[in-house]
Amino acid sequence: MAHAAPAPGRRTGRTSAAPTGAPSRTPDVFGARTHRIAHWAVPVTLGLVYGYWVAANNRSGGEITGWNVLLGFLSALAFMALWTAVRAVAPRMKRELHALLWAAFAGSAFGFLYSQAGNTVLRSTGMALAVAATVFVIVFYRYYTHEDAEGHRIR
């Protein structure tokens, strides 16, 4: 397959200030306004999806009750609050604790969701630990490969 070569005089993604061997920064496609909206839209959207999922698992296909709706909204609110707290606190931590915090959040969120389907506490805990361990490995690898030895993000 043939790829188009850059035209003479066109930018190739590298700035003149960057040394020849240094990689150029990835351009930021979205503006500041879009980032501000996404900063709040992501936890709200994920929280509402999570709350609906908890309520659906809890009722096991039965009728929707007021208590079921309350459980869904309270679960959504808790998820949004914890997501926002983890997102605010985690970047200030070293990469090990940063990854551990996200793993604990993901594992406990999954464990609660799994327990609402009527599974035993032991099985829900085991599944939550499996999810947390998987998230920890993935997130730790990402932070380990994107930070220097002092924990500063590589830009």
Side-chain angles (χ1 to χ4, degrees):
M1 216 183 251
H3 296 282
R10 302 242 343 166
R11 291 181 52 150
T12 60
R14 211 173 265 194
T15 61
S16 59
T20 308
S24 61
R25 274 186 78 170
T26 305
D28 192 6
V29 179
F30 301 110
R33 180 174 180 263
T34 306
H35 283 286
R36 263 192 322 276
I37 292 170
H39 185 76
W40 292 106
V42 168
V44 168
T45 303
L46 290 178
L48 290 173
V49 168
Y50 182 81
Y52 173 76
W53 202 348
V54 167
N57 279 357
N58 183 266
R59 75 173 188 265
S60 300
E63 72 256 6
I64 298 173
T65 63
W67 293 112
N68 188 254
V69 172
L70 181 65
L71 173 67
F73 277 114
L74 289 179
S75 299
L77 186 63
F79 185 91
M80 287 182 252
L82 289 173
W83 174 284
T84 305
V86 169
R87 189 181 56 193
V89 172
R92 297 186 188 117
M93 299 179 161
K94 292 196 174 276
R95 61 181 159 222
E96 294 85 4
L97 293 175
H98 191 170
L100 187 63
L101 190 60
W102 277 112
F105 171 74
S108 57
F110 181 82
F112 180 70
L113 182 66
Y114 195 76
S115 72
Q116 293 303 307
N119 295 301
T120 64
V121 174
L122 187 60
R123 181 155 173 103
S124 298
T125 303
M127 294 297 287
L129 288 173
V131 167
T134 304
V135 169
F136 177 78
V137 168
I138 293 169
V139 175
F140 178 76
Y141 176 77
R142 189 212 182 266
Y143 295 142
Y144 189 77
T145 58
H146 289 77
E147 292 179 353
D148 62 8
E150 287 83 33
H152 301 100
R153 305 289 188 287
I154 298 173
R155 302 261 179 200

